[in-house]
Protein backbone atom coordinates (compact mmCIF):
# COMPACT_ATOMS: atom_id res chain seq x y z
CA UNK A 1 0.00 0.00 0.00
CA UNK A 2 1.37 3.44 -0.99
CA UNK A 3 1.65 5.81 2.01
CA UNK A 4 -0.83 8.74 1.96
CA UNK A 5 1.86 11.47 1.78
CA UNK A 6 3.19 9.99 -1.46
CA UNK A 7 -0.31 9.96 -2.92
CA UNK A 8 -0.78 13.63 -2.05
CA UNK A 9 2.60 14.57 -3.56
CA UNK A 10 1.81 12.61 -6.72
CA UNK A 11 -1.48 14.44 -7.06
CA UNK A 12 0.15 17.85 -6.70
CA UNK A 13 2.79 17.00 -9.33
CA UNK A 14 0.07 15.81 -11.69
CA UNK A 15 -1.82 19.11 -11.38
CA UNK A 16 1.35 21.15 -11.96
CA UNK A 17 2.20 19.04 -15.01
CA UNK A 18 -1.25 19.49 -16.54
CA UNK A 19 -1.15 23.28 -16.12
CA UNK A 20 2.39 23.78 -17.42
CA UNK A 21 1.85 21.50 -20.41
CA UNK A 22 -1.45 23.06 -21.46
CA UNK A 23 -1.46 25.36 -24.50
CA UNK A 24 -1.62 29.11 -23.81
CA UNK A 25 -5.21 29.25 -25.02
CA UNK A 26 -6.22 26.74 -22.35
CA UNK A 27 -4.95 28.84 -19.45
CA UNK A 28 -7.65 31.21 -18.22
CA UNK A 29 -7.19 34.64 -16.69
CA UNK A 30 -8.00 33.20 -13.28
CA UNK A 31 -4.97 30.88 -13.55
CA UNK A 32 -2.55 33.78 -13.99
CA UNK A 33 -0.91 35.74 -11.19
CA UNK A 34 -1.16 39.42 -11.97
CA UNK A 35 1.73 41.52 -10.69
CA UNK A 36 2.41 45.24 -10.60
CA UNK A 37 -1.24 46.38 -10.56
CA UNK A 38 -0.80 49.08 -7.91
CA UNK A 39 -1.78 52.52 -9.12
CA UNK A 40 -0.58 55.91 -7.91
CA UNK A 41 -2.92 57.48 -5.40
CA UNK A 42 -5.25 60.10 -6.95
CA UNK A 43 -4.59 63.81 -6.51
CA UNK A 44 -6.92 66.78 -6.02
CA UNK A 45 -5.72 70.32 -6.74
CA UNK A 46 -7.36 73.55 -5.56
CA UNK A 47 -6.01 76.57 -7.44
CA UNK A 48 -5.24 79.99 -6.05
CA UNK A 49 -6.67 83.50 -6.17
CA UNK A 50 -7.65 84.73 -9.64
CA UNK A 51 -6.83 81.43 -11.34
CA UNK A 52 -9.09 78.76 -12.85
CA UNK A 53 -9.27 74.99 -12.50
CA UNK A 54 -7.83 74.29 -15.94
CA UNK A 55 -5.88 77.43 -16.77
CA UNK A 56 -2.77 77.01 -18.90
CA UNK A 57 -0.59 77.05 -15.79
CA UNK A 58 -2.65 74.46 -13.90
CA UNK A 59 -3.02 72.26 -17.00
CA UNK A 60 0.73 72.33 -17.60
CA UNK A 61 1.37 71.40 -13.97
CA UNK A 62 -1.07 68.49 -14.22
CA UNK A 63 0.70 67.26 -17.37
CA UNK A 64 4.00 67.32 -15.49
CA UNK A 65 2.45 65.30 -12.65
CA UNK A 66 1.07 62.75 -15.11
CA UNK A 67 4.50 62.33 -16.71
CA UNK A 68 6.13 61.79 -13.30
CA UNK A 69 3.41 59.41 -12.08
CA UNK A 70 1.95 57.59 -15.12
CA UNK A 71 -1.63 56.50 -14.60
CA UNK A 72 -2.41 59.00 -11.84
CA UNK A 73 -5.92 60.47 -11.69
CA UNK A 74 -5.93 64.24 -11.11
CA UNK A 75 -8.97 66.40 -10.38
CA UNK A 76 -8.78 70.19 -10.25
CA UNK A 77 -11.58 71.74 -8.19
CA UNK A 78 -13.82 74.15 -10.08
CA UNK A 79 -15.84 76.77 -8.19
CA UNK A 80 -18.55 77.28 -9.29
CA UNK A 81 -18.79 73.87 -10.91
CA UNK A 82 -19.81 74.27 -14.52
CA UNK A 83 -19.23 78.02 -14.44
CA UNK A 84 -17.45 80.10 -17.05
CA UNK A 85 -13.82 81.15 -16.75
CA UNK A 86 -14.98 84.60 -15.66
CA UNK A 87 -17.21 82.99 -13.03
CA UNK A 88 -14.23 81.06 -11.66
CA UNK A 89 -11.94 84.06 -11.56
CA UNK A 90 -14.60 86.19 -9.90
CA UNK A 91 -15.24 83.48 -7.27
CA UNK A 92 -11.62 83.81 -6.16
CA UNK A 93 -12.37 87.38 -5.03
CA UNK A 94 -16.10 87.53 -4.44
CA UNK A 95 -18.23 85.07 -2.52
CA UNK A 96 -18.76 83.41 0.82
CA UNK A 97 -15.63 81.41 1.65
CA UNK A 98 -17.46 78.84 3.76
CA UNK A 99 -20.07 78.23 1.09
CA UNK A 100 -17.30 77.72 -1.45
CA UNK A 101 -15.66 75.26 0.93
CA UNK A 102 -18.86 73.23 1.30
CA UNK A 103 -19.34 73.29 -2.48
CA UNK A 104 -15.84 71.85 -2.87
CA UNK A 105 -16.72 69.11 -0.38
CA UNK A 106 -19.74 68.08 -2.45
CA UNK A 107 -17.76 68.17 -5.69
CA UNK A 108 -14.95 65.98 -4.35
CA UNK A 109 -17.35 63.50 -2.73
CA UNK A 110 -19.12 62.99 -6.07
CA UNK A 111 -16.03 61.71 -7.94
CA UNK A 112 -15.83 57.88 -8.00
CA UNK A 113 -12.08 57.80 -8.67
CA UNK A 114 -11.45 59.43 -5.28
CA UNK A 115 -13.52 57.10 -3.14
CA UNK A 116 -10.52 55.28 -1.66
CA UNK A 117 -8.78 58.48 -0.56
CA UNK A 118 -6.42 60.89 -2.27
CA UNK A 119 -3.56 63.32 -1.89
CA UNK A 120 -4.32 67.04 -2.06
CA UNK A 121 -2.48 70.14 -3.21
CA UNK A 122 -3.57 73.68 -2.48
CA UNK A 123 -2.04 76.71 -4.15
CA UNK A 124 -1.99 79.81 -1.93
CA UNK A 125 -5.64 80.60 -1.06
CA UNK A 126 -6.61 77.17 -2.39
CA UNK A 127 -4.65 75.56 0.44
CA UNK A 128 -7.13 77.00 2.94
CA UNK A 129 -9.99 75.42 1.04
CA UNK A 130 -8.20 72.06 0.90
CA UNK A 131 -7.70 72.28 4.66
CA UNK A 132 -11.38 73.20 5.03
CA UNK A 133 -12.20 69.95 3.22
CA UNK A 134 -9.85 67.91 5.40
CA UNK A 135 -11.22 69.37 8.64
CA UNK A 136 -14.95 69.51 7.94
CA UNK A 137 -15.66 66.84 5.33
CA UNK A 138 -12.84 64.38 4.61
CA UNK A 139 -14.99 61.68 3.06
CA UNK A 140 -13.23 60.38 1.04
CA UNK A 141 -10.15 61.12 3.15
CA UNK A 142 -7.10 63.23 2.35
CA UNK A 143 -3.88 61.26 2.90
CA UNK A 144 -1.04 63.69 2.13
CA UNK A 145 -1.84 67.41 2.09
CA UNK A 146 0.63 69.77 0.41
CA UNK A 147 0.09 73.54 0.47
CA UNK A 148 2.12 76.14 -1.41
CA UNK A 149 2.33 79.66 0.02
CA UNK A 150 -0.95 79.23 1.89
CA UNK A 151 -1.69 81.85 4.57
CA UNK A 152 -2.65 79.28 7.20
CA UNK A 153 -2.75 81.87 9.98
CA UNK A 154 -4.27 84.55 7.81
CA UNK A 155 -2.95 87.77 6.30
CA UNK A 156 -2.39 91.17 7.87
CA UNK A 157 -2.44 93.02 4.54
CA UNK A 158 -4.56 92.48 1.46
CA UNK A 159 -2.96 90.41 -1.28
CA UNK A 160 -1.99 92.80 -4.11
CA UNK A 161 -3.95 92.74 -7.35
CA UNK A 162 -2.19 91.27 -10.39
CA UNK A 163 -0.59 93.45 -13.05
CA UNK A 164 -2.64 94.57 -14.88
CA UNK A 165 -5.32 94.44 -12.19
CA UNK A 166 -8.69 92.86 -12.87
CA UNK A 167 -11.88 94.76 -12.17
CA UNK A 168 -13.01 92.05 -9.73
CA UNK A 169 -9.82 92.43 -7.72
CA UNK A 170 -9.96 96.22 -7.64
CA UNK A 171 -13.59 96.27 -6.52
CA UNK A 172 -13.01 93.58 -3.89
CA UNK A 173 -9.98 95.43 -2.52
CA UNK A 174 -11.92 98.71 -2.33
CA UNK A 175 -14.82 97.04 -0.52
CA UNK A 176 -12.45 95.29 1.88
CA UNK A 177 -10.58 98.47 2.79
CA UNK A 178 -13.88 100.20 3.49
CA UNK A 179 -14.57 97.79 6.34
CA UNK A 180 -12.76 94.46 6.46
CA UNK A 181 -14.52 93.36 9.65
CA UNK A 182 -18.06 94.31 8.63
CA UNK A 183 -20.59 91.49 8.18
CA UNK A 184 -20.82 92.33 4.47
CA UNK A 185 -17.08 92.02 3.83
CA UNK A 186 -16.78 88.84 5.87
CA UNK A 187 -19.55 87.09 3.94
CA UNK A 188 -18.93 88.49 0.44
CA UNK A 189 -15.16 88.98 0.00
CA UNK A 190 -12.99 85.88 0.08
CA UNK A 191 -9.81 87.62 1.27
CA UNK A 192 -11.71 89.14 4.19
CA UNK A 193 -12.45 85.61 5.38
CA UNK A 194 -8.78 85.06 6.18
CA UNK A 195 -7.77 88.64 7.07
CA UNK A 196 -6.36 88.43 10.61
CA UNK A 197 -4.95 91.75 11.77
CA UNK A 198 -2.97 91.08 14.94
CA UNK A 199 -3.63 94.68 16.04
CA UNK A 200 -7.40 94.12 15.82
CA UNK A 201 -7.80 90.61 17.17
CA UNK A 202 -10.92 91.35 19.25
CA UNK A 203 -12.73 92.50 16.11
CA UNK A 204 -11.43 89.49 14.19
CA UNK A 205 -12.53 86.97 16.81
CA UNK A 206 -15.97 88.57 17.05
CA UNK A 207 -16.91 88.60 13.37
CA UNK A 208 -14.72 86.14 11.47
CA UNK A 209 -15.89 82.54 11.14
CA UNK A 210 -13.71 81.09 8.38
CA UNK A 211 -10.03 81.07 9.33
CA UNK A 212 -10.78 81.74 13.00
CA UNK A 213 -12.61 78.43 13.16
CA UNK A 214 -10.14 76.58 10.91
CA UNK A 215 -7.49 77.38 13.53
CA UNK A 216 -9.64 76.50 16.53
CA UNK A 217 -10.04 80.09 17.75
CA UNK A 218 -13.83 80.02 17.78
CA UNK A 219 -14.06 80.15 21.58
CA UNK A 220 -12.01 83.36 21.66
CA UNK A 221 -14.77 85.36 19.98
CA UNK A 222 -18.35 86.05 20.86
CA UNK A 223 -19.62 83.12 18.75
CA UNK A 224 -19.45 79.93 20.82
CA UNK A 225 -21.74 78.18 18.36
CA UNK A 226 -23.36 74.79 18.73
CA UNK A 227 -21.00 72.05 19.81
CA UNK A 228 -22.91 69.62 17.59
CA UNK A 229 -22.58 71.59 14.35
CA UNK A 230 -20.23 70.62 11.52
CA UNK A 231 -17.45 72.76 12.95
CA UNK A 232 -17.36 71.25 16.40
CA UNK A 233 -16.97 73.01 19.73
CA UNK A 234 -13.91 75.18 18.97
CA UNK A 235 -14.50 75.34 15.25
CA UNK A 236 -11.77 72.99 14.07
CA UNK A 237 -14.05 70.14 13.07
CA UNK A 238 -12.09 66.93 12.58
CA UNK A 239 -8.78 68.73 12.93
CA UNK A 240 -5.79 67.60 10.92
CA UNK A 241 -4.17 64.95 13.10
CA UNK A 242 -5.80 62.28 10.94
CA UNK A 243 -3.68 63.21 7.90
CA UNK A 244 -0.83 60.90 6.99
CA UNK A 245 1.35 63.89 6.13
CA UNK A 246 0.92 67.64 6.00
CA UNK A 247 3.57 69.48 3.99
CA UNK A 248 3.36 73.28 4.35
CA UNK A 249 5.56 75.10 1.83
CA UNK A 250 6.75 78.68 2.36
CA UNK A 251 8.29 80.84 -0.37
CA UNK A 252 11.38 82.50 1.08
CA UNK A 253 11.02 85.68 -1.00
CA UNK A 254 7.23 85.89 -0.67
CA UNK A 255 6.02 89.51 -0.77
CA UNK A 256 2.40 88.62 -1.48
CA UNK A 257 1.37 86.91 1.76
CA UNK A 258 1.90 89.10 4.83
CA UNK A 259 3.58 87.74 6.79
CA UNK A 260 5.14 85.13 4.52
CA UNK A 261 5.64 82.94 7.59
CA UNK A 262 1.87 82.47 7.80
CA UNK A 263 2.52 79.60 5.38
CA UNK A 264 4.14 77.90 8.40
CA UNK A 265 1.42 78.95 10.90
CA UNK A 266 3.39 81.95 12.20
CA UNK A 267 1.97 85.42 12.81
CA UNK A 268 3.05 88.94 13.62
CA UNK A 269 3.21 89.72 17.30
CA UNK A 270 0.14 91.69 18.49
CA UNK A 271 2.56 94.07 20.21
CA UNK A 272 5.07 94.58 17.41
CA UNK A 273 4.63 93.80 13.71
CA UNK A 274 8.37 93.51 13.24
CA UNK A 275 8.35 90.40 15.46
CA UNK A 276 7.21 87.00 14.18
CA UNK A 277 5.69 84.46 16.56
CA UNK A 278 6.60 80.98 15.24
CA UNK A 279 4.18 78.10 15.03
CA UNK A 280 5.50 76.30 18.11
CA UNK A 281 4.89 79.38 20.29
CA UNK A 282 1.30 79.82 19.16
CA UNK A 283 -1.44 78.96 21.70
CA UNK A 284 -3.16 77.03 18.89
CA UNK A 285 -0.12 74.73 18.61
CA UNK A 286 0.65 74.50 22.33
CA UNK A 287 -2.97 73.64 23.14
CA UNK A 288 -3.23 71.35 20.11
CA UNK A 289 -6.51 73.00 19.12
CA UNK A 290 -6.55 71.54 15.59
CA UNK A 291 -4.26 68.55 16.06
CA UNK A 292 -1.22 70.29 14.59
CA UNK A 293 1.00 69.40 17.54
CA UNK A 294 -0.20 65.78 17.54
CA UNK A 295 0.53 65.50 13.84
CA UNK A 296 3.96 67.03 14.38
CA UNK A 297 4.81 64.68 17.24
CA UNK A 298 3.99 61.60 15.19
CA UNK A 299 6.24 62.84 12.37
CA UNK A 300 3.47 63.85 9.99
CA UNK A 301 4.18 67.59 9.75
CA UNK A 302 6.86 68.93 7.39
CA UNK A 303 7.64 72.63 7.02
CA UNK A 304 9.24 73.05 3.60
CA UNK A 305 10.83 76.02 1.83
CA UNK A 306 10.89 77.06 -1.80
CA UNK A 307 13.31 79.75 -2.98
CA UNK A 308 11.82 82.63 -4.88
CA UNK A 309 8.65 84.67 -4.75
CA UNK A 310 5.05 83.69 -4.15
CA UNK A 311 4.02 80.63 -6.22
CA UNK A 312 7.36 80.42 -8.03
CA UNK A 313 7.46 76.63 -8.38
CA UNK A 314 10.78 76.69 -10.18
CA UNK A 315 9.92 74.89 -13.42
CA UNK A 316 11.61 71.62 -14.37
CA UNK A 317 13.58 70.24 -11.47
CA UNK A 318 12.33 73.01 -9.20
CA UNK A 319 10.54 73.10 -5.89
CA UNK A 320 7.15 72.13 -7.28
CA UNK A 321 8.55 69.05 -8.98
CA UNK A 322 10.40 68.10 -5.80
CA UNK A 323 7.12 68.11 -3.85
CA UNK A 324 5.35 66.11 -6.58
CA UNK A 325 8.06 63.46 -6.56
CA UNK A 326 8.30 63.31 -2.79
CA UNK A 327 4.71 63.50 -1.60
CA UNK A 328 2.35 62.65 -4.48
CA UNK A 329 1.49 59.47 -6.36
CA UNK A 330 2.39 56.90 -3.72
CA UNK A 331 1.26 53.48 -4.90
CA UNK A 332 -0.99 51.32 -2.78
Amino acid sequence: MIPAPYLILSGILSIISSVTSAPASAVTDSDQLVLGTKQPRPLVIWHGLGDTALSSGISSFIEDIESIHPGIFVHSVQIPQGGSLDDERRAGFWGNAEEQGWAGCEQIASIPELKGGFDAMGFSQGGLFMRFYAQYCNDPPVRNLITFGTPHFGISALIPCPTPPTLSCLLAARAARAGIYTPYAQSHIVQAAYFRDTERLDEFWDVNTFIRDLNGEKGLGGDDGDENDEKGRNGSGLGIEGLDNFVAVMFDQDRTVSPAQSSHFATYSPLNKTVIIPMTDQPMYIGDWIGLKSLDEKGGLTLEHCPGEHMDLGGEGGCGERMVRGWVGWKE
Side-chain angles (χ1 to χ4, degrees):
M1 181 175 182
I2 301 174
Y6 289 99
L7 289 174
I8 295 172
L9 177 60
S10 176
I12 293 172
L13 292 173
S14 176
I15 293 171
I16 293 174
S17 176
S18 65
V19 172
T20 56
S21 63
S25 60
V27 180
T28 65
D29 291 340
S30 61
D31 296 320
Q32 300 181 41
L33 178 62
V34 180
L35 298 174
T37 58
K38 292 183 177 180
Q39 293 295 312
R41 200 153 58 206
L43 174 68
V44 172
I45 293 174
W46 202 312
H47 65 78
L49 179 67
D51 206 350
T52 62
L54 294 175
S55 66
S56 59
I58 295 292
S59 296
S60 177
F61 190 70
I62 291 175
E63 289 174 4
D64 291 340
I65 293 170
E66 292 171 339
S67 68
I68 293 170
H69 301 294
I72 192 172
F73 175 83
V74 182
H75 174 73
S76 185
V77 176
Q78 182 190 40
I79 301 293
Q81 190 168 15
S84 67
L85 294 179
D86 284 343
D87 290 337
E88 286 189 73
R89 293 189 189 98
R90 187 177 188 278
F93 299 100
W94 292 93
N96 185 296
E98 293 182 45
E99 290 178 0
Q100 291 187 15
W102 294 120
C105 288
E106 293 179 6
Q107 185 176 142
I108 291 169
S110 71
I111 300 171
E113 290 85 351
L114 304 177
K115 65 181 180 181
F118 59 92
D119 297 326
M121 274 189 167
F123 294 152
S124 192
Q125 176 176 285
L128 294 176
F129 287 117
M130 282 294 5
R131 188 151 70 89
F132 184 101
Y133 175 87
Q135 291 183 217
Y136 300 134
C137 306
N138 214 39
D139 185 16
V142 176
R143 305 290 294 280
N144 290 347
L145 172 61
I146 306 98
T147 61
F148 290 93
T150 294
H152 286 295
F153 229 137
I155 54 176
S156 288
L158 293 177
I159 292 176
C161 288
T163 303
T166 63
L167 180 60
S168 288
C169 183
L170 290 173
L171 292 175
R174 178 184 296 178
R177 291 190 186 98
I180 197 76
Y181 290 133
T182 63
Y184 176 85
Q186 290 292 308
S187 60
H188 289 80
I189 302 171
V190 177
Q191 281 193 62
Y194 55 91
F195 190 91
R196 186 181 183 276
D197 188 343
T198 52
E199 294 179 345
R200 302 169 64 185
L201 285 175
D202 286 340
E203 291 177 80
F204 166 79
W205 287 327
D206 280 343
V207 303
N208 186 272
T209 59
F210 182 69
I211 200 163
R212 179 199 70 183
D213 296 2
L214 268 178
N215 290 332
E217 293 187 306
K218 188 172 187 176
L220 302 181
D223 177 16
D224 293 329
D226 179 353
E227 66 180 73
N228 296 315
D229 70 13
E230 299 98 325
K231 289 191 168 185
R233 169 169 285 172
N234 71 341
S236 65
L238 302 170
I240 58 173
E241 65 263 41
L243 294 171
D244 290 352
N245 291 284
F246 181 13
V247 183
V249 181
M250 170 183 158
F251 293 94
D252 290 335
Q253 303 302 317
D254 198 331
R255 294 178 293 178
T256 299
V257 170
S258 179
Q261 294 86 345
S262 181
S263 298
H264 285 171
F265 289 90
T267 67
Y268 289 125
S269 166
L271 303 177
N272 185 347
K273 279 193 173 181
T274 66
V275 175
I276 297 292
I277 301 176
M279 176 190 73
T280 51
D281 289 344
Q282 297 287 348
M284 176 266 286
Y285 180 89
I286 295 169
D288 208 21
W289 295 348
I290 68 172
L292 193 62
K293 184 178 181 181
S294 294
L295 185 64
D296 191 15
E297 290 177 343
K298 74 175 187 180
L301 177 65
T302 300
L303 303 182
E304 274 282 4
H305 290 262
C306 284
E309 297 185 0
H310 189 69
M311 292 311 303
D312 178 3
L313 299 180
E316 184 176 355
C319 185
E321 181 177 323
R322 181 161 56 90
M323 299 305 148
V324 169
R325 291 187 181 278
W327 299 102
V328 172
W330 295 6
K331 294 184 177 180
E332 52 184 24

